[in-house]
Amino acid sequence: MEPPVRRLQPTVQRFGRTRGVRRIAHLGAVVATALAVLPALTPLQPTPSAEAATVPGTATVLPTEDAEPPALAISEIAPRAVREKDTVTVRGLVTNTTDAPLSDITVRMRYNSYPLTDRDALERHADGSATEPYQSGPSATIDTDLPPGSAISFELEADAEDLNLQGGFGVYPLTIDATSGQEGELGKVHTFLPYTGTEKTEKLRVSWVWPLMDSPQRADDDTYLDAGLATELTEDGRLGRLLTTGAQDGEIDSTYTGPTSVPDDEEATESPNPAASPSASPSASPTEAPDAEAQPGPTPEETPSPADPVPITWAVDPALLHDIQRLGESSYWSLSNATESGPALEEHEASIDAQVWLAHARLWLAEDPLLAVPYANPDLPALLGADLTRDAETSVGLGRSTVADLLGREADTELAWPADGVMDEATRDFLYDNGATTFLLDESAMPAQNWLGRTPTGAAPLELPGGEEGTALVVDSDLTRVLGADTHTPGSSVLAEQRFAAETAMIAAEAPGTDRTVILAPPQDWNPSADYATGLLDATENLPWLSAVSLTDVRTDADTAEDRQGLTYPRKAADSELDTDHLERVRSIRRQVRLFNSVLTEDEDPFRPAVLRLESAWWRGDDENAGTVLDRVDRAVQESKAKIHVIPGDPITLASKNGTLGVLVANDLSDHSVTVHLSIFSENSERLSIGDYTKSMEIGPGGKTTVYVPLSATVNGRTVLHLNLHNADGEPITDEQTTIPVNATGLGSGALVISGVAALVLVTALTPRAVRKWRRDRARSAAVAGAGPLPDEDGPTAVSVDGDEDTMHHNGRDQTSTGRDGEDAEDARS
């Protein structure tokens, strides 16, 4: 017999045409008037930007286009685990996303009376590729038109006995669809109905790994790839939600940045200022829960008891903790829109949210098991294969010291989580050499045996070097995918929680008598809504077929030791490793870093964290961001080296044989002292030579020193001095040299005396000759003018002009002459 059809009088909540996420609530009873608004509505899952519930009876304004609600959204499926005497209730909302009014709207339930046979069948129903369920369940009809942009809530109810579920404990397919007279199908949702019946279900152990991880947020230590991390640390941000939800009874206090100092004779729990520390707040301290009578709240069946939270193992990346710490220390830079010369830099103030988040993490992670990946989650197979083992070792050491410094405790060194949950034998051996004996792996690294007809347990023995036996904790990848679902759209959180319940129920029903453990590890960049993350922990605590255990308590079982194949390194993982081009650029940057480090006075390596971030497995397949990080770190190293430099001087004129040149060497680094060596050479050492000078010097942060260099010129002229700074091994710090032109213009006082005497002799010898020439020139000028001959110093001479020649008549003989015979000819030659 089909369940009776329940007819709903329409209850409409009118929305404007604005798009976005709608926060809706619903009353179980439907009002009689068609246009009346519900006094209260069942809340749908909001986006992080729309946390506040709407006021009953008012419209919800949608903040963004991207969050437009679906035509059909499910707000509640209760109970999650259906027993024989339960009433199944499905609540939700129909939204008119068209441009015209909708009429004759019907919402109905379809199901099968027999359970799904396996997890593959469950997957096919979820993605809509399976045959639709054929059994008719309850339906609801809306008799009034639904205007565009308006939404109406619905409720479907059926007694479990009336559904006539035949298969007992298992997972039954469930489909909810909505149709209208004009548009036909408006929307369809595929979900599940886990049913326990009257049977006592076997417990399936589950163990949670709760990730606080992300890709590297910085390039060099002061420059972030974007400004998003500060937002993620707020109470509504991704990392803020993960921290508070994982703490289970925690609530972020925006004023808390660390424990207050307490006198030695007082206990920490007797703080006079409860607001100063979350541990003094009832919401943050399991030992100070409020009185149940004075503070009515959820029953133990609805939420875990504060004294008995779901055990989780925190997984952290020390590089992310380091990024958060730097964010809260002082102002920092982020890369913004690109320009012709590369990304621009935008300055930000220190983040108070970062200080608050880190203080709460230090408090709430103090007692739970803690797993830490090496610093920046390096691509270990790629590094070990490229002979960068030293970097891999540094990432392990830096990761452990960072966790100890920032969280005030040490991570469990026996737990290891290789990148993407896969590793080759070299990576296994490396992690084992660094203390790991238990490895968190993806199931592709240790697949189930082909003959196994059920989900194997998550714990399996793993062979280690030297005949030792370790443990592989194999994560269920299908559940990882379910946990990573997008739950920030209306109704998505409820469906994801129901899928989680269905998956775990299906695993439990596969082999009820088998003792198994399922490892639950969400994606490392997990971004659940707050309601979804909380709902998962509630489901873990309350679903009758689940039993939560700590990861550190999971052990292998000899009876299931053969359920999985041996360690496998998937070809897909090998192909995705950091490629040769990326690692070659890393090597080039490392060489420049080594040169920079070689002149630091202290044994320092300030760029080591930045280099390790370049080697992160997060850059697999992300060439764009990887290139940005490589470019920025390379530039930062070059800029740091350039801060140790010779200050260029003006061209020098050397007016004597010897002189002294003052060379100014500067260290513009604000945090480091340097020891550098100055080398100078002349382009023409025969013309200009360099004497002895102080070649090695130590310069403090922001300091300068002057080196006095003796010069000696042997020949006048120009030459160039080349100056360079290098380390103790003679390697130049930078490729650029400083040049100073030198012009030698004098040979000294002795040379000046000699030159002066020579000039005096020359003047004395030439003066009489100049006087005689001047007299002859005057005589010729007078003769040409008709003034008659002028007396010659040797006696009178008759002079006549004939053509261009002067003909001299002397003693009856004619001679052609251009002056006095000997002297004038010599003057002409000269």
Side-chain angles (χ1 to χ4, degrees):
M1 178 181 67
E2 292 189 0
V5 175
R6 302 185 60 180
R7 181 169 298 277
L8 291 179
Q9 295 295 328
T11 55
V12 179
Q13 183 179 16
R14 179 167 295 279
F15 292 79
R17 299 294 296 181
T18 309
R19 297 178 176 179
V21 175
R22 307 182 179 189
R23 182 105 180 167
I24 302 167
H26 174 65
L27 280 181
V30 182
V31 295
T33 307
L35 297 179
V37 180
L38 291 172
L41 296 175
T42 301
L44 290 182
Q45 306 308 315
T47 61
S49 60
E51 286 292 335
T54 58
V55 178
T58 61
T60 298
V61 179
L62 307 180
T64 63
E65 288 189 356
D66 295 337
E68 180 179 356
L72 176 64
I74 305 300
S75 61
E76 182 182 3
I77 300 175
R80 287 197 187 103
V82 180
R83 296 177 175 85
E84 185 181 30
K85 300 298 183 181
D86 287 337
T87 296
V88 177
T89 303
V90 178
R91 296 186 177 96
L93 197 78
V94 176
T95 302
N96 184 354
T97 60
T98 70
D99 296 328
L102 296 176
S103 61
D104 298 328
I105 298 173
T106 300
V107 183
R108 59 184 182 173
M109 177 194 293
R110 293 288 185 268
Y111 70 99
N112 283 345
S113 58
Y114 290 92
L116 296 168
T117 56
D118 53 33
R119 296 180 73 184
D120 289 338
L122 189 150
E123 175 65 25
R124 289 193 297 272
H125 175 70
D127 62 24
S129 61
T131 303
E132 291 292 346
Y134 55 84
Q135 294 286 116
S136 295
S139 62
T141 300
I142 300 170
D143 295 330
T144 302
D145 290 353
L146 185 64
S150 297
I152 187 168
S153 60
F154 67 86
E155 179 182 279
L156 305 175
E157 283 189 349
D159 293 334
E161 292 178 326
D162 294 336
L163 296 178
N164 196 25
L165 302 177
Q166 300 290 325
F169 176 48
V171 179
Y172 294 76
L174 189 67
T175 297
I176 311 296
D177 60 35
T179 60
S180 75
Q182 313 97 302
E183 297 291 331
E185 184 177 287
L186 300 176
K188 181 184 291 185
V189 171
H190 295 92
T191 185
F192 306 93
L193 199 64
Y195 179 64
T196 64
T198 58
E199 304 171 22
K200 181 180 179 181
T201 56
E202 296 285 343
K203 292 286 187 179
L204 175 70
R205 291 193 302 269
V206 292
S207 184
W208 273 101
V209 178
W210 204 263
L212 295 176
M213 305 177 73
D214 207 340
S215 60
Q217 299 294 298
R218 288 181 292 171
D220 59 272
D221 281 358
D222 295 327
T223 308
Y224 288 75
L225 299 183
D226 56 47
L229 180 58
T231 303
E232 290 192 11
L233 299 173
T234 63
E235 188 172 4
D236 296 332
R238 184 181 79 88
L239 293 170
R241 294 194 306 273
L242 287 175
L243 182 62
T244 54
T245 308
Q248 298 181 59
D249 292 294
E251 182 177 346
I252 286 184
D253 177 0
S254 61
T255 65
Y256 177 70
T257 56
T260 55
S261 58
V262 179
D264 294 339
D265 57 348
E266 295 184 23
E267 295 185 3
T269 56
E270 298 178 357
S271 172
N273 180 13
S277 170
S279 62
S281 170
S283 65
S285 176
T287 61
E288 300 180 9
D291 187 350
E293 294 184 1
Q295 301 286 341
T299 65
E301 290 77 15
E302 295 174 321
T303 185
S305 168
D308 188 22
V310 175
I312 65 172
T313 295
W314 298 93
V316 300
D317 185 342
L320 178 62
L321 300 179
H322 206 180
D323 291 339
I324 295 171
Q325 180 204 31
R326 174 62 188 88
L327 202 69
E329 283 183 336
S330 60
S331 62
Y332 61 95
W333 301 89
S334 70
L335 300 178
S336 57
N337 296 329
T339 63
E340 292 183 359
S341 59
L345 291 177
E346 182 178 357
E347 189 174 10
H348 306 270
E349 296 297 325
S351 170
I352 298 297
D353 290 322
Q355 301 176 25
V356 170
W357 189 96
L358 198 57
H360 285 77
R362 189 182 183 99
L363 177 72
W364 289 337
L365 273 62
E367 300 297 334
D368 293 328
L370 179 63
L371 181 159
V373 300
Y375 192 91
N377 201 12
D379 191 339
L380 291 177
L383 297 184
L384 299 176
D387 197 25
L388 293 171
T389 304
R390 184 176 179 183
D391 283 10
E393 292 172 345
T394 302
S395 69
V396 172
L398 181 59
R400 291 175 179 175
S401 63
T402 300
V403 169
D405 290 344
L406 300 185
L407 296 183
R409 58 164 298 186
E410 293 183 352
D412 189 342
T413 58
E414 294 185 354
L415 288 174
W417 192 0
D420 296 334
V422 294
M423 62 182 181
D424 56 11
E425 291 185 357
T427 302
R428 177 202 61 190
D429 295 350
F430 171 81
L431 293 173
Y432 171 71
D433 291 340
N434 283 277
T437 57
T438 303
F439 302 81
L440 196 64
L441 300 177
D442 183 79
E443 64 181 358
S444 63
M446 292 192 73
Q449 295 288 0
N450 296 327
W451 46 262
L452 194 66
R454 54 177 169 75
T455 302
T457 186
L462 179 66
E463 183 180 352
L464 298 176
E468 298 290 331
E469 183 177 290
T471 302
L473 301 178
V474 184
V475 177
D476 189 287
S477 59
D478 287 338
L479 279 171
T480 296
R481 182 164 47 85
V482 170
L483 297 176
D486 180 8
T487 55
H488 296 283
T489 57
S492 59
S493 176
V494 171
L495 295 180
E497 288 178 39
Q498 202 70 10
R499 177 68 183 274
F500 171 78
E503 289 279 356
T504 55
M506 180 66 76
I507 297 172
E510 287 174 342
T514 306
D515 191 17
R516 290 172 297 162
T517 302
V518 173
I519 310 300
L520 303 175
Q524 292 184 345
D525 58 351
W526 195 27
N527 185 22
S529 66
D531 288 340
Y532 181 47
T534 302
L536 289 171
L537 293 175
D538 289 348
T540 302
E541 181 72 13
N542 298 309
L543 289 176
W545 55 84
L546 293 184
S547 174
V549 298
S550 174
L551 191 72
T552 55
D553 294 334
V554 177
R555 298 289 183 269
T556 59
D557 188 341
D559 295 336
T560 59
E562 302 299 325
D563 288 355
R564 292 189 179 276
Q565 303 174 32
L567 182 64
T568 302
Y569 190 52
R571 179 59 182 269
K572 181 179 179 181
D575 292 341
S576 69
E577 291 178 12
L578 297 178
D579 58 28
T580 302
D581 291 341
H582 184 99
L583 293 178
E584 280 303 314
R585 285 210 62 188
V586 173
R587 288 181 186 276
S588 176
I589 293 172
R590 289 173 76 252
R591 286 192 289 268
Q592 298 304 315
V593 169
R594 183 188 61 79
L595 282 176
F596 176 71
N597 292 343
S598 68
V599 298
L600 300 182
T601 301
E602 303 294 334
D603 187 14
E604 299 173 284
D605 194 359
F607 282 101
R608 174 51 56 188
V611 172
L612 295 179
R613 290 191 289 266
L614 297 179
E615 298 167 340
S616 173
W618 286 96
W619 308 128
R620 291 174 173 177
D622 190 359
D623 294 339
E624 181 178 356
N625 282 326
T628 299
V629 174
L630 286 165
D631 291 342
R632 181 62 201 174
V633 174
D634 191 3
R635 181 174 179 177
V637 176
Q638 300 297 344
E639 290 174 348
S640 293
K641 291 198 303 175
K643 291 181 178 180
I644 311 166
H645 61 105
V646 175
I647 297 179
D650 296 329
I652 298 171
T653 298
L654 193 62
S656 62
K657 179 179 180 181
N658 298 312
T660 300
L661 169 65
V663 178
L664 192 58
V665 182
N667 172 23
D668 294 336
L669 298 172
S670 60
D671 301 323
H672 306 285
S673 297
V674 299
T675 300
V676 293
H677 300 257
L678 175 66
S679 61
I680 308 174
F681 73 92
S682 171
E683 278 190 359
N684 190 336
S685 58
E686 295 181 354
R687 174 174 294 174
L688 182 67
S689 61
I690 301 168
D692 293 333
Y693 60 93
T694 302
K695 294 181 171 61
S696 177
M697 64 212 75
E698 180 178 336
I699 310 174
K704 297 179 177 64
T705 188
T706 302
V707 179
Y708 295 97
V709 182
L711 302 177
S712 180
T714 56
V715 180
N716 284 350
R718 297 180 180 273
T719 189
V720 176
L721 295 178
H722 295 263
L723 298 84
N724 201 0
L725 296 177
H726 56 83
N727 61 17
D729 295 328
E731 297 173 294
I733 301 174
T734 64
D735 295 333
E736 296 182 1
Q737 293 184 340
T738 301
T739 58
I740 300 178
V742 179
N743 183 23
T745 59
L747 300 181
S749 57
L752 289 175
V753 172
I754 297 173
S755 298
V757 172
L760 180 61
V761 171
L762 183 61
V763 170
T764 302
L766 293 180
T767 298
R769 184 165 300 185
V771 172
R772 288 196 299 270
K773 187 173 184 301
W774 175 75
R775 288 179 176 176
R776 286 197 301 273
D777 289 342
R778 287 191 62 192
R780 291 191 186 95
S781 297
V784 171
L790 293 175
D792 188 86
E793 61 177 345
D794 293 331
T797 302
V799 179
S800 65
V801 178
D802 185 10
D804 293 331
E805 294 185 7
D806 291 341
T807 302
M808 301 178 64
H809 303 277
H810 182 64
N811 295 329
R813 293 180 296 169
D814 294 338
Q815 294 182 359
T816 301
S817 174
T818 59
R820 294 191 62 195
D821 291 341
E823 294 174 355
D824 289 355
E826 182 178 339
D827 290 343
R829 287 194 301 271
S830 63

